[in-house]
């Protein structure tokens, strides 16, 4: 099972690259295609990120339910094939509308995180789930490293070069999957596809009806909205506050991704073994609250770079939350649960870029009554605190 395991982790890495790849080049790309100021580019960046996330919200449950009905293998392979073609379109796009179309298709094909997580649930024993979900998070972190680093380095050859590299990598991963990926859905766990349940709202209702799950879903959502402040405004914030170049932005995001991968791939296992999933989540959320407060008022770029590994310590929260909810979900609904989590994650990516870039644009304008480019981090801190308080009151029930 080692090669299929690596293939699934590679697919998650490619999904993460779809987010991170464009971050260092997005301000320059938007100004190149659309013109205007950096503040206006931030608004368009929020729109593109929102389109990407909206498709993940809609298609996360659809792909999760399809994988419960037709298998994980087919869903992952078809998505990778279409993703490769989409990157090629993005590489030649000459208008904002074609870029928008590319992000819409990219959001659909990157909604396979639910299917990858369902595969992990299929092959994991109960005590292994948090650690294996952590490996998915680590793969996401590696993709988040490679995406900005590739985007930053290849920006030397133009704003389109990173898309050609991503297209080639997606195609290569697809070919590997054809050779090594087995099917893990069995006759005992197969569930007939229902378009009604594939609707994100109906899937959410079905999962929220499980004992103790509803408040955990709210915690996961608030955590996700908060944490997406980083991809939403980091490039714009660091240009405005520190005057960073695309290469420096890519490096900083790479440092964060390495820290995130180290935490979710390594720290999550001993943390949940010694502290338990619940205490691990509490410590992780406290780290995030503290990090947001520091970043909001930081004015030194070197200190910001040194702070990044500390902010990554909060990355233990997501896999531990997934594990708690997976324990409370029947085996026949693991794909549906992961689809719901993908939708909530995507919904947060719809809301967070629009809200955070809007707040940034309001407080980063030269004529702003209060000049505070770090204001979005204060909003993220407040949302994280609400989620933290809600988590302290929640008690999931093991299925």
């Amino acid at each position: 099972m080692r090669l299929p395991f690596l293939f699934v982790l590679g697919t998650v890495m490619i999904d993460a690259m779809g987010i991170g790849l464009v971050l260092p080049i997005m301000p320059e790309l938007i100004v190149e295609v659309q013109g205007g100021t950096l503040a206006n580019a931030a608004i368009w960046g929020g729109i593109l990120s929102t389109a990407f996330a909206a498709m993940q919200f809609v298609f996360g449950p659809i792909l999760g339910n399809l994988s419960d009905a037709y298998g994980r293998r087919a869903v992952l392979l078809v998505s990778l094939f279409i993703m490769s073609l989409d990157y090629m379109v993005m590489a030649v796009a000459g208008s904002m509308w074609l870029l928008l179309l590319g992000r819409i298709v990219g959001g659909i094909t990157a909604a396979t995180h639910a299917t990858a997580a369902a595969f992990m649930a299929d092959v994991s024993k109960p005590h292994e789930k948090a650690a294996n979900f952590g490996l998915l998070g680590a793969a996401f972190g590696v993709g988040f490293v490679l995406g900005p680093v590739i985007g930053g380095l290849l920006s030397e050859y133009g704003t389109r070069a990173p898309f050609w590299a991503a297209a080639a990598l997606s195609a290569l991963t697809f070919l590997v999957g054809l050779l090594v990926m087995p099917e893990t859905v069995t006759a005992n766990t197969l569930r007939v596809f229902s378009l009604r349940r594939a609707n994100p709202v109906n899937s959410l209702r079905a999962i929220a009806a499980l004992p103790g799950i509803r408040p955990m879903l709210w915690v996961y959502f608030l955590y996700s909205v908060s944490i997406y402040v980083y991809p939403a405004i980091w490039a714009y914030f660091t240009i405005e506050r520190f005057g960073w170049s695309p290469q420096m932005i890519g490096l900083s995001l790479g440092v964060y991704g390495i820290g995130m991968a180290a935490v979710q791939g390594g720290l999550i296992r001993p943390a949940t073994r010694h502290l338990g999933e619940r205490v691990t989540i509490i410590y992780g959320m406290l780290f995030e609250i503290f990090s947001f407060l520091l970043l909001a008022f930081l004015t030194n770029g070197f200190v910001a770079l040194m702070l990044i590994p500390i902010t990554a310590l909060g990355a233990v929260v997501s896999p531990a939350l997934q594990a708690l909810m997976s324990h409370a979900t029947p085996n026949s609904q693991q794909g549906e649960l992961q689809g719901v989590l993908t939708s909530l994650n995507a919904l947060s990516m719809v809301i967070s870029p629009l809200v955070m870039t809007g707040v940034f644009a309001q407080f980063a304008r030269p004529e702003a009554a209060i000049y505070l480019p770090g204001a979005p981090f204060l909003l993220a801190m407040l949302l994280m605190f609400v989620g933290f308080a809600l988590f302290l009151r929640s008690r999931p029930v093991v299925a």
Side-chain angles (χ1 to χ4, degrees):
M1 193 56 73
R2 179 178 295 273
L3 288 178
F5 209 81
L6 293 175
F7 164 72
V8 170
L9 294 177
T11 301
V12 172
M13 182 188 72
I14 297 294
D15 290 349
M17 285 182 61
I19 301 170
L21 179 82
V22 301
L23 293 180
I25 62 170
M26 188 58 74
E28 184 177 342
L29 178 62
I30 293 173
V31 172
E32 173 189 312
V33 173
Q34 179 74 9
T37 65
L38 182 64
N40 290 335
I43 298 298
W44 259 111
I47 293 172
L48 293 175
S49 296
T50 296
F52 183 92
M55 293 302 100
Q56 288 199 315
F57 171 72
V58 173
F59 282 87
I62 293 175
L63 296 187
N65 275 272
L66 283 172
S67 76
D68 281 342
Y70 301 106
R72 321 299 185 203
R73 185 177 191 272
V75 170
L76 293 174
L77 291 178
V78 171
S79 297
L80 279 168
F81 179 76
I82 297 175
M83 181 182 290
S84 180
L85 298 179
D86 180 62
Y87 278 127
M88 295 181 191
V89 172
M90 294 283 287
V92 299
S95 70
M96 291 305 302
W97 299 112
L98 194 53
L99 286 175
L100 180 60
L101 177 62
R103 294 309 280 168
I104 288 172
V105 175
I108 296 171
T109 58
T112 54
H113 195 94
T115 305
F119 167 85
M120 288 297 188
D122 292 341
V123 300
S124 301
K125 297 176 182 178
H127 68 278
E128 298 174 333
K129 286 186 176 181
N132 286 342
F133 287 143
L135 288 176
L136 285 180
F140 186 93
V142 171
F144 204 75
V145 171
L146 291 178
V149 170
I150 290 173
L153 292 177
L154 294 184
S155 66
E156 294 287 342
Y157 303 97
T159 54
R160 310 311 177 99
F163 296 111
W164 289 114
L169 190 56
S170 299
L172 178 61
T173 307
F174 165 76
L175 293 175
V176 171
L178 278 178
L179 297 175
V180 306
M181 183 63 181
E183 185 49 65
T184 57
V185 175
T186 66
N188 292 331
T189 59
L190 192 70
R191 185 163 58 86
V192 176
F193 177 76
S194 167
L195 189 60
R196 182 185 65 82
R197 291 191 72 162
N199 179 300
V201 175
N202 289 334
S203 288
L204 179 59
R205 287 173 177 167
I207 294 298
L210 297 172
I213 287 287
R214 185 183 300 273
M216 301 295 292
L217 293 175
W218 274 109
V219 173
Y220 186 87
F221 173 67
L222 289 169
Y223 171 80
S224 298
V225 173
S226 302
I227 208 69
Y228 276 114
V229 69
Y230 291 115
I233 64 125
W234 187 253
Y236 308 97
F237 168 73
T238 53
I239 290 174
E240 179 68 25
R241 187 57 111 178
F242 312 129
W244 283 0
S245 65
Q247 291 76 24
M248 190 62 186
I249 295 168
L251 172 64
S252 66
L253 289 170
V255 170
Y256 180 80
I258 291 171
M260 179 179 172
V263 168
Q264 294 193 331
L267 182 61
I268 183 66
R269 193 180 298 269
T272 54
R273 183 172 63 247
H274 295 295
L275 301 177
E277 285 137 355
R278 186 172 181 83
V279 176
T280 297
I281 292 168
I282 290 172
Y283 278 121
M285 297 186 84
L286 288 174
F287 269 114
E288 296 289 6
I289 291 169
F290 177 69
S291 299
F292 289 146
L293 180 61
L294 288 181
L295 286 169
F297 298 101
L298 202 60
T299 58
N300 187 298
F302 177 78
V303 175
L305 196 61
M306 294 300 100
L307 181 64
I308 288 173
I310 298 176
T311 67
L313 290 173
V316 295
V317 174
S318 182
L321 272 172
Q322 279 184 280
L324 279 181
M325 288 184 277
S326 181
H327 294 327
T329 303
N331 289 335
S332 63
Q333 290 182 268
Q334 290 294 325
E336 186 172 33
L337 167 67
Q338 300 304 331
V340 166
L341 296 183
T342 296
S343 277
L344 289 177
N345 189 58
L347 183 59
S348 71
M349 289 176 65
V350 171
I351 295 172
S352 194
L354 287 178
V355 173
M356 299 304 181
T357 55
V359 171
F360 171 81
Q362 185 66 33
F363 284 88
R365 298 183 188 278
E367 67 275 13
I370 300 176
Y371 178 77
L372 186 62
F377 291 114
L378 289 180
L379 176 58
M381 182 188 71
L382 176 61
L383 294 174
M384 184 71 71
F385 184 80
V386 173
F388 176 73
L390 183 59
F391 177 76
L392 293 179
R393 296 170 57 89
S394 65
R395 286 293 185 274
V397 178
V398 177

